[in-house]
Amino acid sequence: MATYLYAITGADHPLQLSGVTGVGDPAAPLRTVRTKKLCAVVSDAPDGLRAKRRDVAAHQSVQERLLADGAALPMRFGLIGPDDAQVVSALEEHRDTYTQRLEEVDGCREYHLKVARDEDDVLREVVRESAEVRRLNERTRQHPEAYDDKVALGELISQEVRAREDRARADIVDRLAPLAVRTADAEPTKQHFLSVSFLVEREKAAAFSEAVHAEAERHGDTHTFGLHGPLPPYSFV
């Protein structure tokens, strides 16, 4: 029977999982797979598992219960091993790495920040600050047939926008990083030029949220800040 993996903890974790069940319909009972120093919370893997709301919620409930009582490394939804023996083998093989990660995330939660900027606002700034953009823009207006100039204008605007986004991204992260244990970048999206996770100690969570709010105020209405958390520290496992 394949083994579904929820999280990894230290062997001394209290593992108070009474009343919590796993994924599947009917819900799979939870069990543990242990080595001398580590423990994996697992269940039998149901056939044809998909990311349905009930199963995702069950997966997260197990992790939230574990995190409430101590350090845990949350696994992504849908992680399945061939059997319990393979889980034990993985725990042994990566023992030092898992132990180090558990020490690092102990008492911490993840906060994920996304920031977007109004497109018209950044384009106005590019035109205002770049003489070459203004020159090419005027030339293409006067000469609509100037294809090469249109291409050059588009490429230059893209470069200028990226440069501003890169500077803004670095500035925001530099201001917030001192309140976090670690940061983990995610790929920017089409809408968001910044997408980054912060590993934050519980006692600093309020200060971190206030710092994000201050950054949003500093950037004004042209920027949209979205902060999600506290979350299990997925990005730092």
Side-chain angles (χ1 to χ4, degrees), residues 9-81:
T9 72
D12 58 350
H13 193 287
L15 298 170
Q16 299 183 31
L17 294 169
S18 176
V20 184
T21 54
V23 298
D25 186 13
L30 301 175
R31 62 177 187 276
T32 58
V33 175
R34 294 176 176 271
T35 64
K36 185 176 181 180
K37 291 189 175 182
L38 297 170
C39 176
V41 177
V42 305
S43 70
D44 289 344
D47 293 332
L49 180 67
R50 296 182 180 178
K52 296 180 180 178
R53 180 177 300 180
R54 187 267 165 210
D55 288 322
V56 172
H59 178 87
Q60 294 175 342
S61 293
V62 174
Q63 296 173 342
E64 291 291 347
R65 177 67 66 86
L66 292 168
L67 287 165
D69 295 324
L73 302 181
M75 300 294 105
R76 297 287 184 181
F77 178 84
L79 183 61
I80 296 174

Side-chain angles (χ1 to χ4, degrees), residues 49-210:
L49 180 67
R50 296 182 180 178
K52 296 180 180 178
R53 180 177 300 180
R54 187 267 165 210
D55 288 322
V56 172
H59 178 87
Q60 294 175 342
S61 293
V62 174
Q63 296 173 342
E64 291 291 347
R65 177 67 66 86
L66 292 168
L67 287 165
D69 295 324
L73 302 181
M75 300 294 105
R76 297 287 184 181
F77 178 84
L79 183 61
I80 296 174
D83 51 41
D84 287 6
Q86 288 297 317
V87 175
V88 170
S89 178
L91 292 179
E92 291 288 7
E93 180 180 356
H94 303 289
R95 177 187 59 200
D96 292 342
T97 299
Y98 290 148
T99 301
Q100 179 183 349
R101 289 287 185 268
L102 283 166
E103 293 174 355
E104 188 174 70
V105 304
D106 190 15
C108 299
R109 289 296 183 92
E110 177 175 335
Y111 289 81
H112 188 73
L113 177 64
K114 290 185 177 182
V115 182
R117 182 178 180 182
D118 180 77
E119 184 176 353
D120 290 339
D121 180 69
V122 68
L123 289 176
R124 285 193 295 269
E125 181 180 293
V126 167
V127 173
R128 183 172 65 251
E129 295 181 355
S130 173
E132 181 63 8
V133 167
R134 293 196 300 274
R135 185 189 72 80
L136 286 171
N137 187 48
E138 184 61 28
R139 177 167 173 76
T140 57
R141 286 175 180 271
Q142 295 176 354
H143 303 279
E145 75 285 356
Y147 176 78
D148 289 345
D149 287 333
K150 289 181 179 179
V151 172
L153 176 61
E155 291 177 348
L156 181 57
I157 289 175
S158 294
Q159 293 170 7
E160 292 284 346
V161 169
R162 282 197 301 271
R164 283 161 175 77
E165 291 178 344
D166 289 345
R167 289 196 296 270
R169 185 185 303 112
D171 178 58
I172 293 170
V173 173
D174 285 348
R175 288 173 177 269
L176 296 175
L179 290 168
V181 176
R182 280 182 61 200
T183 63
D185 289 331
E187 284 295 323
T189 68
K190 186 176 181 180
Q191 294 79 24
H192 302 92
F193 69 85
L194 181 149
S195 181
V196 61
S197 289
F198 298 84
L199 186 65
V200 180
E201 295 171 341
R202 281 194 178 98
E203 58 267 28
K204 294 183 179 179
F208 180 78
S209 295
E210 291 172 3

